[in-house]
Amino acid sequence: MSKPLPTGAAAEDQTGRFVVQPNGRPRPLSPHLQVWRWHVTMLGSILHRVTGSALVGGVILVALWLGALAFGPEAYATFVALAGSPLGLLVWIGLSLAAFYHLAAGVRHLIWDTGAGLTPRAANLLSSLSIAFAVVATIALWVALFVTGKVAL
């Protein structure tokens, strides 16, 4: 049997476990990050949102690259010099990590949308695999770029 909702002072207590809605009905407070125990699916969810936001910055960088290309050889040379600097390479490596993770997390969500992988063990495994895939794919990409001479310090 469920507990009855609090009334009176308990329902009016905005700092306790319940808060009063605008319609006057009390509802329980949602727990926050200080209450939740961290787990890999929580990390996966947060990373999916962060990498999606980071990719917006990546789109802006690609637009700047195309703009530099349109403004002629001098502007393009300046962009390439900045993008090829150690800091620029760090940004590109970070963006490729974000892209690979966001891709893997999107596939994970597609799997979940089919109804598969929703048990805690399977969800944890899929979240861990998406993080591992992003790291391995990023390392493989950048090793290939450096080994083939496409990128150099």
Side-chain angles (χ1 to χ4, degrees):
M1 178 178 248
S2 63
K3 291 183 180 181
L5 290 174
T7 57
E12 295 172 13
D13 179 15
Q14 298 291 313
T15 62
R17 300 185 71 164
F18 290 87
V19 65
V20 177
Q21 297 180 44
N23 65 5
R25 295 182 56 207
R27 66 172 175 81
L29 283 175
S30 296
H32 45 79
L33 289 178
Q34 294 172 342
V35 175
W36 284 100
R37 181 180 58 85
W38 279 87
H39 50 89
V40 71
T41 53
M42 177 190 286
L43 176 64
S45 176
I46 292 168
L47 285 176
H48 190 65
R49 293 159 201 243
V50 168
T51 57
S53 298
L55 290 175
V56 172
V59 167
I60 292 169
L61 285 177
V62 169
L64 289 173
W65 170 61
L66 292 173
L69 190 61
F71 278 103
E74 291 176 11
Y76 186 73
T78 301
F79 182 86
V80 168
L82 290 172
S85 70
L87 181 60
L89 288 176
L90 184 64
V91 169
W92 290 113
I93 290 169
L95 283 172
S96 60
L97 179 64
F100 282 127
Y101 179 76
H102 205 71
L103 171 70
V107 170
R108 182 186 74 213
H109 278 276
L110 285 174
I111 292 169
W112 286 346
D113 286 345
T114 68
L118 294 175
T119 65
R121 185 174 181 183
N124 288 341
L125 177 64
L126 286 172
S127 295
S128 297
L129 286 175
S130 61
I131 293 169
F133 167 77
V135 171
V136 169
T138 301
I139 291 170
L141 171 70
W142 285 94
V143 165
L145 289 174
F146 276 104
V147 167
T148 60
K150 304 282 184 194
V151 176
L153 284 174

